[in-house]
Each structure stands twice: as C-alpha cells, then as structure tokens.
Amino acid sequence: MPEDPAEPAPPAASDWSAWKRLTRLAAKAQRQGFLANLLEDAERGRALRLPVGGVLFDFSRQKITPEVLGALLDLAKERHWVARREALFTGAPVNATEGRAALHTALRAPASRQPPAAGEVVVRSRQRLLDFAESIRRGDRTGHWGNALTHVVHIGIGGSQLGPQLVTEALGGTGQPLKPLYVANIDGQAIGAALAAVNPETTMFIIASKTFSTLETLANAAAARSWFLERTNCQDALPRHFFAATAKAEAAAEFGLPPDSIFPLWDWAGGRFSLWTSIGLPIALCLGETAFKALLAGAHAMDRHFQEAPAHDNAPLLAALIDIWNYNFLGIDQHLILPYDHRLRRLPAYLQQLITESNGKRTRRDGAEVGTHTAPAVWGGEGTNGQHAFHQMLHQGTRPFTADFILTARPQHGCNEQHRWLLANGIGQGEAMALGWRSDNPHQAAPGNHGTNTLVLDQLNPHNLGALLAFFEHRVFCQGIIWDINSFDQWGVEFGKRLAKRIYHQLGDGAALPQDDATRALVAHLKALNGKAENHDPSGQ
Ligand code: F6P
C-alpha cells in the first residue's frame, strides 16, 4: 500500500505507462479553480454527456481533460477490459476464488440471448416466479383459510433484502395488492415489529437466502414460523404461507417447505447481484409481471450498451475510469450517493453494498497485494434532506470527495412546483461543489473544485431503474478490472461471522476463552448487566 495515497505507486502488477501518465497529470488537477476553468469549455462538456436510453450520464463536472481521458482509456486497454467483459457475459469463472461465473446478465436476457452456461433454466424459472406472483395478485392463490394474501414479510439480509426493498419502495406507489414488510436484522425488534403488523391468515413469508445458512435470516424465519404456528395452531397451513428463494433447495425442504414453495437461484448469481432472481419475488408480487419484465428489460438494455458501445461512449466504463482517476490519483476516499428523489432513498444503502462488498478488497486476482487504494467509503442520503445534515462538511470541510447526483426529470406526483425546487437544488448543489463561492469573510467562503457526476432519469419507471442498477453493476466490474481484483467474492464477511459465534457462547454460559482484554471486559460487562455474573467492575479492574 503506498505511504501517501495522494502519491499512488504504480500497481505492483506491471509498469503501466498510462498509470504513470495519470500520476503526472494529477498534480495540475488539484490546483484551485481547475474544475471551474474546465467548465467554461462547452465542447469538452458535450463529449462527457452520454444519453443511454432514458438516462443521461453527465460526467462533465469531473476533473477530466482530453489528456486525462486519453490516458484512462489507455489504462483500460492495458487491463484488457474487452476480453474481461467477454468473459463476464459468456459465463467464464470470473469469480476465481469460488470457481464460479457471475452471470447476472443472463438473469435479464431474453431466451434468444441466454448464454449456454445459464441454459434455459433461467427463463423457465423466471416465468414460474411471475406466474406464481400473478396468481397471488389476482387472488386465485389464497392463504390456507381461503383469504387473499395482502401482506408479504420478506426475510433476508444484504443482497437478499436491499435490492427488493429498493425497487418495491421506489416503484411501489399506492394501491398495490400486497404490502411488503422487510426483516433483515437479527435484532428481535425487527421481526417483532413486522409480526405485530400482520394477520397470519392473510400474510405470506418469503425466506430469501441464497445459502439458506445466514444466521439472521434463519433466526428470523424460525421466529416467524413459531409465531405463525402459535397464532394458528395449524401445521398444514405452512406450505400456503411460507416460501423460499434460495440456491439450497434441500435446506429449504428441511425447514418444512415443499418443492412448489421453493424458488431457485444459482451459485453464479452473486447475492448483491440477485434482485433479478427469485430474490426479487416481492417485486413481482407488489409491482406485477409487466413491471418486473420492464425492470429486466431496462437492465438488459444497459447490458447491450455495455457490451456494444465503444470505450469513449461506454457509460459504465467511463464512470469506472473516472472513479479510478478520483480515488487513485486525486486522493479521494469517499463517494457520496445523492438521489434527489424520495423514492430512491434506499439507493445509497443498496449501492454501498454493491460497491464496497464487491471492491473493498486488498488482494489482486493472483493473490498479491493490490498495491493501490480500491473501493472508497460509499455513503449518502436523499436530497434535499442531506443539505440540512452533511452538506456543510462537503462545502466547507477539509476532505476531498466525489458524488453521484441522481435526478428524475419528470415527477409522477402533481406537485410540479416542489419538483422544480427539488431539481434546482440537485443541480445547484453540484454547481456549488464544483465552483465554490468567494467571500471576504473566510468563514463564509467555500473552495469548490469537487468533481461530481449527474445521472438524470427522464422519469422513474421500472425500465430506467433497471438500466441504472445495471449501470452500477458494470461500473463496479470495470473498477475491478483496473484494480485486477475479484469483484464477486466476499471472504471478509465470512470471517466476521465466525468471531460472533465465539462471543455468542461466552455471553451465555460458555466457558471464558482466551481473548484480548477489550473483548473480555465487554463480555463481562454485558453478562453482569444481564445478570449472568456478579461483583463486576465496568472499568475492567
Ligand atoms: O454479506 C455477506 C452476504 O453473503 C451477502 O453477499 C449476501 O447478499 C448476504 O450475506 C445474504 O446471504 P444469503 O442470501 O446467503 O442469506
């Protein structure tokens, strides 16, 4: 890892000439007013605005000059991005540490464009899922007691929750036949709140877990099943009210689910790339088959763009290259996601997992240290709320950042005046971050010179949302190509799970295990507070 990230060492992999050119170009871009000068050049701006279907990708507020763009495109060539893209789409084992493909693109491809590695199982399973959801939406398929199902409790976490929740809350609107409730945390408050809000006779439960082994999800599923049986005292009712979306059908069967209550997904569909699979069942239930297919079609259209557009017109690639420029040459280590649309308030959390669980890595594909910084901190919040929370730091703080503003041009509500204010703020904030503002009073000046992207959806509909999410998936993949890392595994999370198991037993009656002083003192403190140990001094004396 380089001593000073602002002075990035060329990656250990090779003596990349483009990397060295970018290092030389970086110093100039840091000068005060650099971006303001760039923004006076309309010709330059036009080359950095890419309309792709119903979304405009505007990179013009980034510190990108023709020289920088040329070196970034050379960098992509040096990393053989075209061959890596081909490997992704054809089902090669791009997830080498798990020996798997990453074929999320097959999940939204029509039958005519299914790669052999996926086969026809994707299309067949997709239609079974949609037929099931439509039968419930129409009321043809009811609960055990003949009542229409009006609520769906979706039990899942991470990629098994964030995607469905983002999409149903973004596109759900009012008047949907089923109301979704999402339960992720192992904190009993979460499942308790959901169960308190539903009637067992009109509620279906989805256990969404690719591995069917995630602690939180299994604990919540067991709690839901116990609650259901206590309330109904009817074991025979379970198959009409409990369903699973999983790659481990045998584990779901052991839970007590019959085959036709189990909807498959596959090892080559990564968790954070899985909303397009049966993990997206709540989307089909709440929004219907037409919307689900439009979401897939939007993502597929972005897949085609990513596959076919030349590098200089390729939105996911360009966005990724600009990210590399920001993170590895301009010393930026935080990336804000700022959706200026209340319906996209969950987008920051979704992208936080997609980006940081994919690229929060320190090891290259060959096992060597990556040699430069990889994924930054990803956070954010809906606009305009953030302007009354953390934008102060962005405008007058000391730390560099970049951001994605996401705007929707046309509202679906009737408050056009308010929507105009929303858009004015979204555009204005990006302008202020780029240009700053002068004042004789140093307390009231802002330096600006912060580059940002602006993504404008013509409207928020399933097609455009699908395209937007696929754009981010491919952007993450392209970042990983440049860093030469595996964007599709997540070994760091497995380690954390093991630590919890040790401490869980010690918080109960388990024997004390050798461990560091801080952990030992905290375990003792909690046990004392929960009456499992006496004469305890909180200071750890
Ligand atoms: O965070 C680790 C992780 O495996 C994610 O990648 C995944 O989305 C989540 O946990 C849930 O995993 P599962 O769907 O197997 O329950």
Side-chain angles (χ1 to χ4, degrees), residues 14-36:
S14 68
D15 177 14
W16 299 345
S17 61
W19 194 274
K20 291 193 168 181
R21 280 160 51 205
L22 288 161
T23 304
R24 285 194 297 276
L25 290 167
K28 200 163 61 168
Q30 303 284 45
R31 286 186 205 135
Q32 198 51 39
F34 178 80
L35 183 52

Side-chain angles (χ1 to χ4, degrees), residues 157-160 208-211 214 271-272 353 357 490 493 497:
I157 196 165
S160 292
S209 178
K210 177 178 173 183
T211 59
T214 302
R272 51 194 176 273
Q353 186 209 14
E357 193 166 86
Q490 54 286 318
V493 182
K497 289 176 188 173

Side-chain angles (χ1 to χ4, degrees), residues 243-255:
F243 304 90
T246 184
K248 300 297 182 198
E250 61 285 356
E254 277 168 37
F255 183 84

